Every structure is written in structure tokens, then in C-alpha cells.
Amino acid sequence: MKKISFLFLFLSFLNQAFAFTISGKITDEKNEPIPFANIYIKGTTRGTTSNMQGVYAIDLAPGKYELAFKMIGYKLHIEDLNITDAPQIINVKLAAENFDLKEVVIKADGEDPAYAIIRQAQKKRKYYLEQVEAYSCDVYIKGVQRILKAPKKILGMEIDPDNERDTTTGIVYLSESVSKFNFKQKNNIKEEMISSKVSGDNKAFSYNQASDMLFNFYENILEVGGLSERGFISPIANTAMVSYRYKLLGTFYEDGQMIHKIQVIPKRKNDPVFSGIINITENTWRIHSLQLILTKDAQIDFVDTLRINQVFLPVEKDIWLPFSTKFTFDFGVLGIKGDGMFVGVNSNYVIDPDFPKHFFSNETMKVNEDANKKDSAYWDVSRPVPLTIEEANDYRRRDSMNLIKHSKVYTDSTDKMKNKLKFKDLFVGYNHINTFKKQYWSIAGPLLGTQFNTVQGCNLSTSFNFTKAYENNKRYNIGCNVGYGFSNKDMYGSVFGFYYYKPQKFAKFSAQAGKEYVQFNENRPIFPLINSLYTLLNEENFMKLYLKNYASISHSSELFNGFYFFPTVEYAERISLKNSTDFRLVKSDYNYSSNDPQNPDSLGYSFENNQALTLDIKLKYVFKQRYFTGPNLKYVTGSKFPTLRLNYKKGIYALGSKVNYDLLTCGIEGTLNLKRFGNSSYSIIAGSFLNTRKMYFMDWYHFNGNQTLFSSFEMNSFQLLDYYSASTKSQFLEGHFQHNFGGFFLSKIPLIKKLKLVEIGKVSVLTTDGKNTYAELSIGVQRLNFRACFASGFSNQNQISSGVRVGMEF
């Protein structure tokens, strides 16, 4: 095997060493450049595409070739080449395709002939989807993003206050990558990034992934991650005629093959559908090429328009696969206008390769250690798509600045500008950075650390954080926080730190100790700021606190793919507290509730002071968790299978500890992709106290309720449930089901559809002690992360509450 690999590398070297560059410019009949035209050796998938200026280059060893030049909307052009001993410049002028409509026969019922062609393509859709069991290929991807127009300030803040960029317009992201892509049916993919280049940062890795270029229109529904919660309907999907109209624009011939050019027209422009052109071959009814568009009308986020161009070539007899895929897009936000493109060129296909056993795994991508260490000579040879003048200048400018920008003199100079103390820092906090040493520290400002509660009264707090990062992605953090309550006249604080020592395993050791005022529910269901507002303005002091003097250590790591282990040991002294103030902004006869979460009218302490030694072990397993790896890096991309959780918490009666209990909980959570109908999420948690010999109210199991207008809309939370009314020291079952309709209904309503709102529905159920049942039903709308909903709560089938909730989903 090693001999074969060496021979292959040697022959590849000879091919490059004795190859000559064939280059030129591709234009139309008006001498206008044709960007992203396809150039390939006829009968193979070895080739390239032209750049934005119509310039192309391809290296060919001595010999005779038929070099094909192909672009949607133009006639196929063949150049017969005889490569001898010198580079050649061959400029090509492509003629516009002539579309023949002579043979088009309109039926008596008025149906366009395109419908019959599409029906044939629908019949063959599944065959072509499953035709190739497995393949491998080489993939080159180039990504460019540009700012075309930008204001000097956004929301009163300067875009580039430190003048790190020469201009606020132009290329902001330029990258290239070369990968080996492997595919097998049933969603088996494996990609190896061989080389990567990012303009201006020779230590970075490209975000380009071949799997992101896999737009397969033989699928009924195409998922475009990040653009929409709903999938998009293929023009040849089984149900496509419900959503599309078709018009035959004409036919043309390529290598003797008749090809039908069909216009794809949405029946309802706000449906998740494409518009544009799809070319279908006669008799075989396969996709030849396509030019399709998604617009704002299709309810896409983040970009205004997404254009998809795809060209197929024969790989073997009766097997056609994508040769080039190009995405271009426009975007606009907060006065910033820009565009971008990603172009992928697939070559050197191997059909049904002999993959080793267990070749495919949950590792979908691997970035080689030396991927970002290739020099310019390598890229000059390996780059199939020539750089434009703008791209070449961007590489030169940024790469020449790279050494300067990473030098100590430069980083110290820019850090000095950033580290200048500003007036606002006195209120919101101060951040200090030492880029060269990878050190960062910060002090929180009093504005965010000011709050009010009835136990401490007005209290001020601040915190200090220091972080040191290393080249291998390891880092550590140490810090402290300190605060003072003016009503109870008590100072509190803590110290903490962690060491992230094995990034590939997410391994982290943490420790902390101190004196803190904490909520009885350790999940902290009410935010201090919201509690302050409700207490001062509405005389509702929802937050209930006790004092904890504690020390704890914890560890977290991934033992094997998808299996996470989180143990924590804590020793704490827990002290009961009473309200220390009845201050209010508006005088009234209303009295605050007590600090006893179980007895709001109680005037005494809520529990006996105690010490507690606890062991908390959390396990999480993500079935078939997919991920990609790189140098000192592992990045989880998710799983379509459920996640299991198992938690065990033990109150240990030893070393002065006065608690003795055992809590066991288990849960399952996940998502369901319902294609064009949106996405669902679910979570089920069941638990029971196996032993309750000695415990206090903070040891009970508490649920994430909400009694305010504001919500974070976390999955395992209720919108109307009192914070502690359902707390239990027995058994319980909690379930949540949420569905994002992705605009399925609202996108059809005039005017409302322009807001691009999506509908969110949720059902939550809770039963405790095997007899008390609480349920919630909510329906709302969301735009990006902002949500508003109306919820109703039911206890034992009787409606007991309802209300509106607003906030951001986290």
C-alpha cells in the first residue's frame, strides 16, 4: 500500500513538474467577461472555473486535449489543444445559446410542455438520488465577502474606532481550501481539509466545508442551515407542482443531447421555494444545470438574496455529478450593504471507492495539522480558480501586514489605544488586553452590578477576571467578585478559577470559594435586574435568598465521543435570612412578602442554619454526535438523535454536614426536523428522591417558573408557574414540546409577512407526587431571537392563569 501511495505521489509530482499553464479570458459576444464559466477536459471532471473577471488557468501535461468551455446560457465551446513545451494563452468567446421553440406543442388544455418534462424528472428523482452508492472527489472552495457600503457609526458606535482597517468597504473575508471529500449513502460523509488559506491570518483555518456545498436538488426538501427554520422545496420534488408553475423557454443541444430550459415560477412567492432556471435532459430526465434564486419573499434570514448556480458533468456512463456549485448573496443590516460568494469545484471523482471498514464515523471533517502552512508556491499550483485583481491585492496587503500586526510593537500600540480609560468605563466596566501575550483582564462596572432586593436592600457589586490563552487552545481564568448590601450592612464575595487543559476533550478543572447570597433554586430563575424593577416599581419581591459560605471543586470532560462527565463536590454553610428593608419608591400600605419561599407571610426564619456536604454527578450522552477536528480542536456539529442525561446528587452526612438525601433524575431531549413544516424540540425529565432522611428546602427539586412579564424562553422553563409552588422532595415528571413553524402561516398574510415573523407553539406539563398536575400552553411570534407569546396555565385541567411574556430566547 505504501508503495502504491508513493508511486501515486511521484506521478502527481511529475505531472505538476512537466505541466504547462493554459490561461486566458472568457468573454461573451460583446467582449464582456463571463464570470464562473466552467472549463474542463472533455470526458473528465478535471477542470476549473473562471474568476469574477472571466480569467481562467489550468495546468496540463504535454499531450492532446479537448478543452471544454461551458456556461449556462451559452453554447458549449471546444478547443482542441496540443500541449508541447510551452504555456499557452487561449482567449475564448462564448456565443449565446440559441433556444429552439419550433418543436414545442401547446396542448389543447393549454398546459405548457414544461409540465410533462418536470413529471418525467419527478419520476427519475429518487433513482438519481440513490444512483451512486458512494464516491470520493477533490473539492476546491473559495469564499469572498465584501462590504459595499457602511456608515461611520452604528447605533452611535464607531465601526472601526482603532483604525485597524484601511477602509470600511472592500473585502472583509477571503479564504480558500482544498479538501478530499468522501460520501456514502445514508448520510455518511468524511472530509479531510488538506490546505486552507485565510487572507491576513496565517494561523487561521478556513470555514469552508464541502458538505456545505452539497445542494442536492434530487432531495424533496433542501435544508439550508441558518437561513430558515423550514426546508425549501425542490423544483422536481414529488409535490413540487403544488408550489410551482413551469414554462418551457426552449431547447438546445450539447454533444448531441437535447436539453430543455425551463423557467421555475413560485405559485405563492412567500412559500419556501426557488425561482429561476432548471435545465433537464431529454430521455434521461436528469438535471443538466440550474440557476435558482431564494429571496426575502421565501422567508430567509440574514441575506436578502441567495443565488445558486450548479453544473453537472458525466463522471461515468449514465452517471452525472456536480462539477461546480456557486452561491452568491447580498445582505444589508443597520446601514451596511454587502455581498459575497462561495464557489466550489469538484474534480477527480472516484465512483464506489473501496473504503476501509469503519472508514466513516461521527468525525465528519478533519483539518490537517499543516493545512494552514502551505506557501504561495503551493497555492499558485493548486488553485483552480485564478484570483481577481481585487483578491490578489487583498492577499498581498493583508499578508504583508500580518507579520507587522502580530509583532509586539504593533500589538502594544493598538492595545494602548484600546486600553485607554473612557468615561463610560467608569459605569459599564473596563477591559484590558495584551494581544501579544494573549492576556485579558476586566473589571465590571457598578451600573450592571447595582441591584435591589428586600434582604440586602440596595447592593453594589463588581468583579475582576483575568484570562491567559495559549497557542494550543489551552487557557486558564482566575477572578473574584465582591459586593456590599447597604441595608443589612454586609460585605460578600468569592474567588474562582478554571483551567481548560485539554481542548480536544473539553476537559476543564474548576474551583471556587466564598460567601454569596444565592437563590433557593440554584438555576436562578429570576434575574436580579428584573427582580429589582418588580420590587421597587410593583412591590413584588420574587427573589428569595439565603447566605452560603462555601468551597467547591468540579471537573468536566468528554470521556469518549458524545459522553460527558461532570462531577462536583461542595461543602457549604447555609444561613437563613430575613428581609432587612421595606423601602419602596411608591408609598403604599402593601407589605413585601417574607423571605420564606414556602410561607410568604411568615415573620420567622425559613430554615435552621446548617452545613451541607454534597456530591453532584452529571452524565450526558449524545447519540451519534457528529464533530470535526483540527489541531488542538474539536468542534461539535450536533446530532439528529436524542441526548440522554442522568444526574445523581447525594447529601453526605459526614464532617459536620447535616444533610442526608439521594436524588436521581434522568432526561431525554432532542429536535425533530419536519422539513417544510418547521422544527420541533422536546425535553422530558423524570426524577425521584430515593432517600430524604435529612434535607432542607434548597435541597428540594425546583422548577424554572416565571411570574414576570420578561422571559428568557429556555426550553425547560414555564412562563406562568410560581417560582416555588411546585417544588418537591418526592417524585416528579416534567415535559416540554415546542414547535417552530418557520412562518408557515404568517408568511401568507399581507403586510404581516414583511415582518418575517415565525410562529412558536409550546406545551409544557408537570406532575409532582404522582397527583398534582400543571400544564401550560403558549403561542407566540419570534423574529431572530426576540419573542413575544401568550400563555395559559392549567392545574388539574382547570385554567388558573394567563399572561403575555416577552424577551430573548437564549
Side-chain angles (χ1 to χ4, degrees):
M1 187 67 185
K2 290 182 179 179
K3 290 181 179 179
I4 294 174
S5 299
F6 175 78
L7 179 61
F8 174 78
L9 292 173
F10 180 68
L11 291 175
S12 298
F13 168 76
L14 288 178
N15 182 65
Q16 294 294 336
F18 294 100
F20 297 98
T21 300
I22 308 302
S23 61
K25 189 171 185 179
I26 304 173
T27 59
D28 61 15
E29 293 170 307
K30 296 180 181 179
N31 290 322
E32 294 294 327
I34 300 178
F36 305 112
N38 300 280
I39 304 97
Y40 59 94
I41 301 172
K42 189 176 179 182
T44 76
T45 57
R46 183 186 167 199
T48 182
T49 67
S50 61
N51 64 18
M52 286 286 291
Q53 298 164 338
V55 177
Y56 76 95
I58 184 171
D59 292 331
L60 299 176
K64 293 184 178 182
Y65 300 91
E66 287 184 296
L67 195 61
F69 296 80
K70 181 176 181 178
M71 183 62 183
I72 300 174
Y74 294 88
K75 291 182 179 180
L76 177 68
H77 180 89
I78 304 293
E79 284 281 340
D80 293 318
L81 301 181
N82 183 15
I83 310 300
T84 55
D85 58 357
Q88 296 184 32
I89 297 177
I90 299 178
N91 296 318
V92 173
K93 185 170 293 188
L94 296 184
E97 188 64 71
N98 294 321
F99 298 104
D100 188 2
L101 286 170
K102 295 178 181 178
E103 300 179 18
V104 175
V105 178
I106 305 298
K107 294 183 178 180
D109 59 6
E111 183 182 72
D112 192 283
Y115 285 85
I117 298 169
I118 292 296
R119 290 189 188 98
Q120 294 292 341
Q122 288 174 320
K123 292 178 183 178
K124 298 284 285 187
R125 181 197 65 80
K126 188 176 180 182
Y127 169 76
Y128 289 127
L129 179 65
E130 301 173 351
Q131 181 186 22
V132 178
E133 174 63 22
Y135 68 81
S136 66
C137 67
D138 298 328
V139 181
Y140 165 83
I141 301 175
K142 177 165 69 175
V144 181
Q145 295 178 40
R146 300 185 302 167
I147 298 295
L148 303 177
K149 179 183 177 183
K152 293 182 178 180
K153 292 183 178 181
I154 294 180
L155 302 178
M157 299 173 60
E158 290 187 32
I159 294 179
D160 188 25
D162 302 311
N163 296 313
E164 291 191 345
R165 288 180 51 83
D166 297 336
T167 175
T168 54
T169 60
I171 293 178
V172 293
Y173 176 76
L174 169 61
S175 72
E176 298 175 277
S177 66
V178 175
S179 299
K180 187 73 174 181
F181 183 72
N182 305 280
F183 168 86
K184 191 175 181 180
Q185 290 287 355
K186 298 184 179 178
N187 201 29
N188 291 304
I189 60 174
K190 188 166 187 175
E191 182 176 352
E192 178 186 7
M193 185 175 285
I194 298 168
S195 52
S196 169
K197 183 175 178 65
V198 179
S199 181
D201 192 345
N202 57 14
K203 295 181 180 180
F205 293 95
S206 170
Y207 292 107
N208 303 340
Q209 292 187 56
S211 55
D212 290 339
M213 308 295 285
L214 280 180
F215 264 50
N216 192 340
F217 286 87
Y218 290 117
E219 296 275 3
N220 279 318
I221 303 294
L222 286 85
E223 303 297 325
V224 187
L227 283 187
S228 175
E229 293 290 338
R230 302 163 64 189
F232 297 93
I233 305 168
S234 168
I236 60 170
N238 292 342
T239 60
M241 291 194 181
V242 176
S243 304
Y244 290 102
R245 292 186 293 111
Y246 305 93
K247 181 179 180 180
L248 180 62
L249 300 179
T251 62
F252 62 96
Y253 289 83
E254 187 176 284
D255 284 341
Q257 172 76 56
M258 178 186 286
I259 301 162
H260 303 285
K261 182 179 182 179
I262 297 173
Q263 184 179 4
V264 176
I265 308 165
K267 283 187 175 180
R268 295 167 296 275
K269 65 179 182 179
N270 294 107
D271 280 355
V273 292
F274 301 88
S275 60
I277 303 296
I278 185 168
N279 296 317
I280 304 292
T281 57
E282 175 72 13
N283 296 324
T284 55
W285 313 115
R286 61 163 55 90
I287 298 174
H288 169 272
S289 53
L290 56 86
Q291 292 176 310
L292 296 176
I293 301 174
L294 287 173
T295 67
K296 279 184 175 181
D297 292 331
Q299 302 296 301
I300 59 177
D301 291 323
F302 305 113
V303 299
D304 297 333
T305 305
L306 175 67
R307 305 171 192 84
I308 305 166
N309 286 25
Q310 202 169 50
V311 173
F312 289 73
L313 289 181
V315 177
E316 290 185 359
K317 184 179 180 181
D318 196 40
I319 295 178
W320 289 51
L321 290 173
F323 169 67
S324 69
T325 302
K326 182 187 68 172
F327 304 146
T328 59
F329 53 89
D330 305 311
F331 62 88
V333 61
L334 298 176
I336 298 175
K337 297 289 185 182
D339 64 14
M341 71 91 183
F342 284 87
V343 58
V345 179
N346 298 2
S347 60
N348 301 322
Y349 276 99
V350 177
I351 303 300
D352 293 327
D354 186 16
F355 293 123
K357 191 176 182 181
H358 306 303
F359 176 79
F360 292 99
S361 65
N362 293 313
E363 182 186 33
T364 58
M365 182 174 177
K366 177 184 178 182
V367 180
N368 287 347
E369 187 84 26
D370 63 344
N372 62 351
K373 296 179 174 60
K374 311 295 186 183
D375 59 18
S376 57
Y378 166 87
W379 284 105
D380 289 341
V381 173
S382 303
R383 177 186 292 121
V385 181
L387 297 176
T388 64
I389 295 175
E390 182 185 27
E391 293 163 358
N393 289 339
D394 188 76
Y395 270 137
R396 277 193 295 270
R397 180 177 60 84
R398 292 203 190 189
D399 290 348
S400 64
M401 287 293 295
N402 184 55
L403 290 176
I404 299 174
K405 286 188 174 183
H406 285 84
S407 68
K408 188 176 187 304
V409 173
Y410 182 88
T411 56
D412 287 352
S413 175
T414 56
D415 288 348
K416 186 178 180 180
M417 296 288 293
K418 296 176 183 177
N419 295 334
K420 281 184 178 180
L421 184 67
K422 304 175 182 65
F423 180 73
K424 66 179 179 64
D425 297 336
L426 300 175
F427 302 96
V428 299
Y430 175 73
N431 297 297
H432 186 279
I433 181 173
N434 188 321
T435 305
F436 190 78
K437 293 184 177 181
K438 295 184 179 294
Q439 294 177 356
Y440 317 88
W441 61 266
S442 64
I443 299 177
L447 184 63
L448 300 178
T450 302
Q451 58 170 294
F452 180 87
N453 62 66
T454 54
V455 172
Q456 299 170 283
C458 178
N459 70 92
L460 300 178
S461 65
T462 186
S463 62
F464 170 81
N465 268 279
F466 174 83
T467 300
K468 167 67 176 177
Y470 298 93
E471 293 287 348
N472 55 10
N473 288 329
K474 295 180 182 180
R475 66 183 186 274
Y476 71 84
N477 170 271
I478 56 174
C480 65
N481 61 61
V482 62
Y484 182 77
F486 285 90
S487 179
N488 67 343
K489 299 178 181 178
D490 187 42
M491 180 173 286
Y492 59 95
S494 63
V495 294
F496 51 85
F498 70 79
Y499 178 42
Y500 192 66
Y501 66 92
K502 199 170 185 178
Q504 303 94 324
K505 290 291 184 180
F506 309 108
K508 181 174 71 173
F509 176 80
S510 306
Q512 60 186 96
K515 172 185 177 181
E516 290 187 3
Y517 289 81
V518 298
Q519 298 185 46
F520 283 84
N521 183 348
E522 63 182 11
N523 292 326
R524 296 178 290 184
I526 182 167
F527 295 118
L529 176 60
I530 295 175
N531 179 74
S532 300
L533 294 174
Y534 267 81
T535 303
L536 292 171
L537 301 178
N538 209 42
E539 298 179 319
E540 293 180 288
N541 54 319
F542 293 121
M543 185 181 288
K544 309 302 176 184
L545 303 168
Y546 69 93
L547 182 62
K548 183 168 76 168
N549 300 309
Y550 71 100
S552 69
I553 57 173
S554 62
H555 184 266
S556 61
S557 65
E558 184 184 41
L559 301 185
F560 54 87
N561 183 50
F563 188 84
Y564 298 86
F565 178 52
F566 311 93
T568 301
V569 176
E570 179 184 87
Y571 193 92
E573 178 188 22
R574 306 179 303 187
I575 301 172
S576 183
L577 302 169
K578 293 181 181 180
N579 290 342
S580 67
T581 181
D582 61 357
F583 174 82
R584 63 202 69 208
L585 291 178
V586 181
K587 292 185 178 181
S588 72
D589 296 329
Y590 180 82
N591 293 321
Y592 287 126
S593 63
S594 74
N595 191 48
D596 186 341
Q598 293 179 286
N599 302 291
D601 299 324
S602 172
L603 298 178
Y605 289 101
S606 61
F607 64 90
E608 177 184 318
N609 297 346
N610 63 87
Q611 291 78 40
L613 174 62
T614 57
L615 170 66
D616 192 357
I617 298 175
K618 294 181 171 65
L619 302 175
K620 183 177 80 169
Y621 182 60
V622 184
F623 285 95
K624 296 189 176 182
Q625 173 185 273
R626 292 201 156 190
Y627 62 96
F628 70 73
T629 59
N632 303 302
L633 169 72
K634 178 176 181 178
Y635 181 80
V636 174
T637 57
S639 172
K640 64 179 181 180
F641 296 94
T643 295
L644 293 181
R645 295 182 183 270
L646 181 66
N647 296 356
Y648 172 68
K649 189 171 185 179
K650 171 66 179 175
I652 304 172
Y653 195 81
L655 301 176
S657 171
K658 301 301 181 182
V659 295
N660 185 355
Y661 64 90
D662 296 270
L663 170 63
L664 183 67
T665 64
C666 59
I668 184 171
E669 61 193 49
T671 59
L672 300 172
N673 186 344
L674 302 184
K675 304 292 185 179
R676 61 177 296 194
F677 299 105
N679 290 285
S680 296
S681 303
Y682 61 89
S683 175
I684 301 172
I685 304 173
S688 178
F689 283 90
L690 309 178
N691 159 37
T692 59
R693 289 188 182 92
K694 187 64 176 177
M695 58 191 305
Y696 300 84
F697 188 65
M698 67 282 291
D699 301 317
W700 292 27
Y701 191 88
H702 306 287
F703 302 92
N704 296 326
N706 183 27
Q707 294 174 253
T708 73
L709 171 67
F710 307 101
S711 175
S712 62
F713 296 107
E714 294 178 359
M715 187 62 186
N716 293 327
S717 66
F718 297 87
Q719 301 308 316
L720 302 171
L721 181 68
D722 290 355
Y723 291 110
Y724 295 105
S725 63
S727 300
T728 182
K729 59 177 181 177
S730 181
Q731 59 191 19
F732 62 89
L733 178 65
E734 173 185 3
H736 304 269
F737 181 86
Q738 177 176 286
H739 186 71
N740 186 327
F741 290 89
F744 186 83
F745 301 104
L746 296 179
S747 64
K748 298 174 175 62
I749 302 176
L751 298 181
I752 295 294
K753 64 187 179 183
K754 294 184 178 297
L755 299 176
K756 299 176 70 173
L757 300 173
V758 298
E759 315 88 342
I760 308 287
K762 185 179 180 183
V763 177
S764 298
V765 179
L766 168 64
T767 179
T768 57
D769 306 324
K771 52 185 179 181
N772 299 316
T773 301
Y774 173 80
E776 273 185 9
L777 175 65
S778 66
I779 184 72
V781 294
Q782 182 168 314
R783 178 74 173 97
L784 300 178
N785 288 91
F786 296 94
R787 185 190 299 186
C789 78
F790 178 81
S792 292
F794 303 85
S795 179
N796 296 321
Q797 300 182 350
N798 296 314
Q799 183 173 353
I800 59 172
S801 59
S802 61
V804 174
R805 296 292 182 262
V806 297
M808 293 186 66
E809 181 186 26
F810 294 99

